[in-house]
Amino acid sequence: MKQDNQIPRMLSEPYSAAARAPKTIRIDSDLVIVGGGLAGTCAAITAARAGIKVALVQDRPVLGGNASSEVRLWALGATSHMNNNNRWAREGGVIDEILVENMYRNKEGNSLIFDTVLLEKVSDESNITLLLNTAAVSVSKSDGETIESVTAFCSQNSTQYELYAPLFCDASGDGIVAFQAGAAFRMGAEASAEFGEKFAPSEEYGYLLGHSIYFYTKDIGAPVKFVPPNYALEDITQIPRFRSFNTAIDGCRLWWIEYGGRLDTVHETETIKWQLWKVVYGVWNYIKNSGEFPDAETLTLEFVGQIPGKRESRRFEGDTMMIQQDVIEQRQHYDAISFGGWSIDLHPADGVFSELPGCDQWHAKGVYQVPYRSQYSKNIRNLFITGRIMSASHVAFGSTRVMLTLACAAQSVGMAAAHCIQRNLLPRAIAEPENVKLLQRDLQRVGGYIPQFRLDDEANLVRQATVTASSKLCLESLPDDGPRLALERPYAQMLPLQRGRVPRMTVTVDAAQDTRLAAQLRMSSKRDNHTPDVILSTLSVDLPAGDNQLIELDFDQLIDDSRYIFVCVMENPALRLHLSDMRVTGLIALQYWRDQIPYEDIGVEAFEFWTPPRRPEGQNMAMTFSPPINGFDPQNVCNGLARPVAEVNAWVADPDDEAPTLDIQWIAPQSISRVTLMFDTDFDHAMETVTRGHPEDVMPFAVKHYRLRDGEGALLAEVMDNHQTVNRFEFDEPIETDRLQVEIIASQGDAPAAVFALHCYE
């Protein structure tokens, strides 16, 4: 940085009888976003990349909200720690890019590193003006239904900002802009009669989900004393679950250190914070000084949250309000723009002081759609409402409130804002069917996933081409080269089958004694779900004692459509099942976990959870198939789905192909300005952002090194260390060619090369 050697003059101002105004800067942009949590951040990046100017206002020193180093809650969404039946359900688009990048840099889950990932993503966008430590304080309206400007103040540089734009987005969590603008909102729980929600209370009430503060410990290898502050909670028995405290858990695993549900979670946040501090320091005093935890002698407190993580406050009203039935019944919406899949997760209002369990979680059998109409105010014409203030009932909020679900939906706000600016529209106009189709198209183009929607993109030149490949996988077997699994509980292999007769299969087992192997063929009652709730056929085979027994499974079953089926080998401790170390895009193994059994008629279903063990476990079954399993065709790269759903939806090369190549051929030369490739970064892996570590920094299915060539063989692009899902190329000048080739040089792991999507545009 160039230094100015001129000596500045001393500043001296005379007394002023009038009050001085702070330094004030006016910023004009296309979209003002207040709130820099994951929702506001993803909305801002999406809008900026779509070509509009964004002012992103965050009242904290870092981005991320509850996911930041200030709170340190891991970000989760539809995958729910991989403890539900939502397979390949990690959120797509910008939030996927952030999660994958964080995994690459930060598989240990360091919250400070996650801060840098978010800040880098925002600072890289020239269309974003980022204002940190800046709080929105007032709203100016040009008329009763239109916001003109937002005034914000930065305490760090003592500067006031006047933020003008035609469009505003409130992603602040408490809805400071929407509230001051006069938008309709709710706090508390609706009565069941209002929306027919069976899980809602019989009468409405004003209680809420509370706040949480997390703490972390560190073993320094030498004795550490702890003298509690005077405000620490003295009587630990005030916490009914105090006997569950131990030295092995801290941080997010103590999410149930929660308080404030009976208070005003907007205006009494400081009161709630003090109570949570009392609890945390009281808990630590109990662990350190009660004498019941000798292994705590060398532990010290490394971190205690300075601000609480908020769950619930205001919910604002859009043109539609999501309700319980949208979540549980997976209702369809013409204007769907994203999805959720967390349980309906409601907590007792007394939080940590309650005698009740810390939460009540009820899952649907699959993911559900989030409608665009829940993302803008029904009263204020130029206001988007996103993040946890989105339009949802209290019960539905129990599911929609988690960060990745909100970030995923907020991307639609950023894209919709760009459409509004480019076409001189207001948010409600984007909900018109012809406009929302364009919104859905553009979200899917950049990697977004919308359940039940394929990318119908006439502009994609690949749809006019002949797509071939050097090879494709015809799955005859998964080799018997992995560990042996004791069948302490049932184990299942998910297989993508095409319409017709189910192949004959073999599995290999070791029997410790004469016994019986029981197997079931299952599928989901909904084609795009992955809950194995329909038993198609059962088999039982008597086995003598002995190892390496090859068992044929011929279920003699027809299926009427391409879909996933589940080959379930049932529990038998006398058996060990042979597994395979071969990983393949679109294949996954599961184990039975538990049943969901509603305690009464609360509008949710009973079913089983079959969940994948995390790598390095979770190997596929060692199996053979006759005839082989197909469906890994190169034409899948333009079928409009870029993740496994009812089918693999990917081109997968033969494992023996030493130079996998995808070939796109046109009859006549095409003018190509942009190319997008989408790879497999394992959408089933939850990628928790902080605290929890991961075995890998890159996903083993991802293509690492590849080249893009034209019809003459000229090199258009080469990527040597890819770890991301979406790779985009924009050429300085359009290229003219009748052919494109994607040459796969190496993958990140041993899985066969795979590509989900290839898009080309003029």
Side-chain angles (χ1 to χ4, degrees):
M1 181 181 293
K2 184 178 179 181
Q3 297 293 320
D4 187 351
N5 294 322
Q6 184 177 356
I7 299 175
R9 298 182 62 184
M10 184 187 79
L11 181 63
S12 176
E13 287 194 16
Y15 161 77
S16 173
R20 289 191 177 101
K23 177 181 179 180
T24 300
I25 296 175
R26 172 169 172 151
I27 296 177
D28 291 277
S29 56
D30 297 312
L31 172 67
V32 172
I33 299 176
V34 174
L38 290 186
T41 297
C42 288
I45 294 171
T46 303
R49 291 179 178 176
I52 67 173
K53 299 290 185 181
V54 181
L56 177 59
V57 183
Q58 166 70 330
D59 62 356
R60 306 302 305 170
V62 290
L63 298 168
N66 283 350
S68 74
S69 61
E70 292 192 306
V71 178
R72 303 193 180 187
L73 172 63
W74 46 42
L76 276 178
T79 56
S80 189
H81 288 301
M82 298 158 61
N83 286 336
N84 60 15
N85 291 335
N86 299 338
R87 302 279 63 81
W88 299 291
R90 195 178 70 244
E91 292 70 17
V94 170
I95 191 58
D96 170 65
E97 177 185 330
I98 290 169
L99 294 172
V100 173
E101 192 63 34
N102 184 63
M103 183 69 58
Y104 181 65
R105 303 183 186 190
N106 184 31
K107 70 183 180 68
E108 297 80 13
N110 185 323
S111 61
L112 297 173
I113 302 301
F114 187 57
D115 285 349
T116 69
V117 172
L118 294 177
L119 287 165
E120 179 184 272
K121 290 294 180 185
V122 170
S123 64
D124 280 350
E125 298 298 330
S126 60
N127 280 337
I128 298 178
T129 299
L130 175 61
L131 302 175
L132 295 174
N133 293 307
T134 304
V137 294
S138 64
V139 171
S140 174
K141 298 168 72 175
S142 58
D143 60 51
E145 298 179 339
T146 308
I147 299 173
E148 180 180 42
S149 68
V150 167
T151 299
F153 183 75
C154 177
S155 61
Q156 297 302 295
N157 63 9
S158 195
T159 299
Q160 180 171 285
Y161 295 94
E162 300 293 341
L163 305 167
Y164 287 82
L167 297 171
F168 294 83
C169 171
D170 192 332
S172 66
D174 286 339
I176 182 62
V177 174
F179 175 79
Q180 292 195 40
F185 73 94
R186 300 178 176 209
M187 289 182 73
E190 293 84 1
S192 59
E194 182 170 2
F195 299 120
E197 298 174 304
K198 291 186 176 181
F199 194 38
S202 57
E203 296 183 1
E204 66 177 40
Y205 60 72
Y207 302 143
L208 304 165
L209 281 71
H211 304 353
S212 286
I213 275 181
Y214 305 121
F215 69 92
Y216 291 82
T217 62
K218 181 179 181 180
D219 191 335
I220 67 168
V224 181
K225 72 177 181 180
F226 176 68
V227 179
N230 291 338
Y231 53 81
L233 182 71
E234 293 184 5
D235 181 7
I236 196 69
T237 63
Q238 291 183 45
I239 300 174
R241 298 172 67 180
F242 78 94
R243 289 185 179 86
S244 65
F245 289 117
N246 60 64
T247 58
I249 60 171
D250 58 13
C252 304
R253 296 175 181 85
L254 289 172
W255 55 266
W256 52 271
I257 296 185
E258 176 180 354
Y259 180 71
R262 294 185 185 272
L263 302 179
D264 180 340
T265 56
V266 176
H267 300 106
E268 293 183 275
T269 288
E270 285 293 290
T271 301
I272 295 168
K273 177 192 72 178
W274 271 101
Q275 184 61 53
L276 287 167
W277 274 347
K278 292 177 182 179
V279 170
V280 165
Y281 287 108
V283 166
W284 188 240
N285 183 43
Y286 168 64
I287 291 173
K288 286 289 288 186
N289 297 324
S290 67
E292 296 186 23
F293 305 94
D295 53 341
E297 184 181 19
T298 58
L299 295 181
T300 187
L301 273 180
E302 184 184 40
F303 166 82
V304 175
Q306 301 303 301
I307 59 173
K310 287 193 177 187
R311 288 184 176 84
E312 183 179 16
S313 56
R314 303 179 181 116
R315 296 172 286 108
F316 286 80
E317 297 181 11
D319 275 348
T320 192
M321 183 175 291
M322 291 194 67
I323 60 175
Q324 175 180 343
Q325 296 90 318
D326 290 310
V327 174
I328 298 299
E329 298 173 12
Q330 302 172 269
R331 288 184 172 179
Q332 303 295 295
H333 300 279
Y334 79 93
D335 61 334
I337 41 77
S338 67
F339 67 97
W342 190 261
S343 63
I344 293 178
D345 182 4
L346 299 177
H347 300 186
D350 291 319
V352 72
F353 297 108
S354 176
E355 298 280 353
L356 300 171
C359 66
D360 221 352
Q361 295 183 323
W362 300 105
H363 292 259
K365 289 184 175 181
V367 298
Y368 57 86
Q369 297 175 348
V370 175
Y372 169 70
R373 287 165 296 151
S374 68
Q375 300 294 305
Y376 60 87
S377 169
K378 72 177 185 180
N379 313 115
I380 308 301
R381 296 185 299 173
N382 62 339
L383 177 63
F384 293 100
I385 49 171
T386 200
R388 61 183 174 86
I389 70 168
M390 65 171 276
S391 184
S393 72
H394 172 76
V395 173
F397 169 86
S399 175
T400 63
R401 65 184 176 83
V402 291
M403 283 186 278
L404 297 187
T405 300
L406 299 176
C408 190
Q411 294 170 169
S412 72
V413 166
M415 191 68 75
H419 284 206
C420 287
I421 295 300
Q422 292 155 5
R423 301 169 61 200
N424 194 27
L425 299 173
L426 289 171
R428 178 174 282 118
I430 301 297
E432 295 174 4
E434 64 275 16
N435 293 332
V436 84
K437 286 181 181 178
L438 296 177
L439 176 62
Q440 292 162 336
R441 179 202 68 183
D442 286 355
L443 290 168
Q444 292 175 97
R445 277 181 173 180
V446 296
Y449 169 61
I450 307 171
Q452 307 296 321
F453 283 79
R454 291 178 182 264
L455 174 57
D456 184 13
D457 193 353
E458 295 181 358
N460 181 10
L461 298 173
V462 179
R463 291 175 49 164
Q464 306 167 21
T466 300
V467 183
T468 58
S470 58
S471 68
K472 77 162 189 173
L473 175 64
C474 294
L475 190 63
E476 296 180 350
S477 67
L478 293 165
D480 185 357
D481 59 359
R484 274 57 167 162
L485 176 74
L487 284 170
E488 302 292 339
R489 48 180 162 167
Y491 203 72
Q493 181 66 53
M494 284 182 64
L495 297 170
L497 299 187
Q498 303 199 301
R499 179 180 178 179
R501 192 178 189 278
V502 173
R504 292 186 303 277
M505 294 168 272
T506 63
V507 297
T508 305
V509 298
D510 302 336
Q513 61 191 45
D514 293 353
T515 188
R516 174 174 293 181
L517 179 145
Q520 297 178 349
L521 185 72
R522 297 191 181 197
M523 71 176 189
S524 176
S525 54
K526 289 186 178 180
R527 181 171 177 264
D528 284 0
N529 281 358
H530 303 118
T531 293
D533 55 341
V534 177
I535 300 176
L536 297 171
S537 182
T538 61
L539 290 174
S540 181
V541 181
D542 289 324
L543 301 176
D547 293 344
N548 301 308
Q549 299 189 55
L550 198 64
I551 311 301
E552 182 176 276
L553 303 177
D554 186 356
F555 290 101
D556 191 22
Q557 183 72 40
L558 295 174
I559 55 174
D560 59 5
D561 204 348
S562 57
R563 59 160 61 238
Y564 274 94
I565 59 95
F566 302 73
V567 179
C568 308
V569 181
M570 308 312 289
E571 175 184 346
N572 184 340
L575 293 177
R576 292 195 307 161
L577 181 67
H578 289 215
L579 303 181
S580 175
D581 281 333
M582 184 177 179
R583 309 276 186 178
V584 181
T585 290
L587 266 64
I588 196 167
L590 313 171
Q591 59 189 8
Y592 167 77
W593 181 38
R594 66 177 179 88
D595 288 0
Q596 173 170 286
I597 304 175
Y599 48 76
E600 57 182 272
D601 184 12
I602 56 173
V604 299
E605 296 182 78
F607 58 91
E608 296 174 350
F609 290 97
W610 291 69
T611 61
R614 290 184 181 236
R615 287 190 298 276
E617 299 180 352
Q619 288 88 354
N620 294 314
M621 289 186 194
M623 305 180 76
T624 65
F625 310 98
S626 179
I629 295 175
N630 284 297
F632 303 93
D633 305 280
Q635 293 82 7
N636 288 342
V637 301
C638 57
N639 76 356
L641 287 170
R643 65 175 65 202
V645 184
E647 302 176 76
V648 172
N649 298 316
W651 164 59
V652 182
D654 189 296
D656 295 328
D657 188 345
E658 295 182 355
T661 303
L662 187 64
D663 197 287
I664 314 298
Q665 181 79 51
W666 290 275
I667 296 174
Q670 306 292 312
S671 178
I672 300 173
S673 299
R674 294 176 291 137
V675 174
T676 300
L677 285 155
M678 298 185 186
F679 298 109
D680 184 1
T681 55
D682 187 8
F683 280 110
D684 203 70
H685 188 46
M687 292 190 177
E688 293 91 344
T689 49
V690 300
T691 306
R692 175 176 291 198
H694 302 267
E696 309 139 329
D697 55 1
V698 293
M699 297 298 101
F701 307 95
V703 167
K704 178 180 182 179
H705 183 189
Y706 67 93
R707 300 185 184 110
L708 181 65
R709 297 186 185 275
D710 68 10
E712 301 298 320
L715 184 65
L716 303 175
E718 181 171 14
V719 177
M720 302 183 70
D721 191 19
N722 173 60
H723 53 274
Q724 276 290 347
T725 308
V726 180
N727 287 204
R728 303 180 188 86
F729 304 97
E730 292 194 17
F731 304 116
D732 294 335
E733 296 291 336
I735 62 169
E736 299 286 333
T737 187
D738 63 354
R739 187 181 183 191
L740 286 179
Q741 282 192 316
V742 181
E743 300 174 353
I744 310 298
I745 312 302
S747 293
Q748 292 286 4
D750 294 331
V755 178
F756 275 128
L758 175 60
H759 306 158
C760 299
Y761 302 101
E762 291 185 3

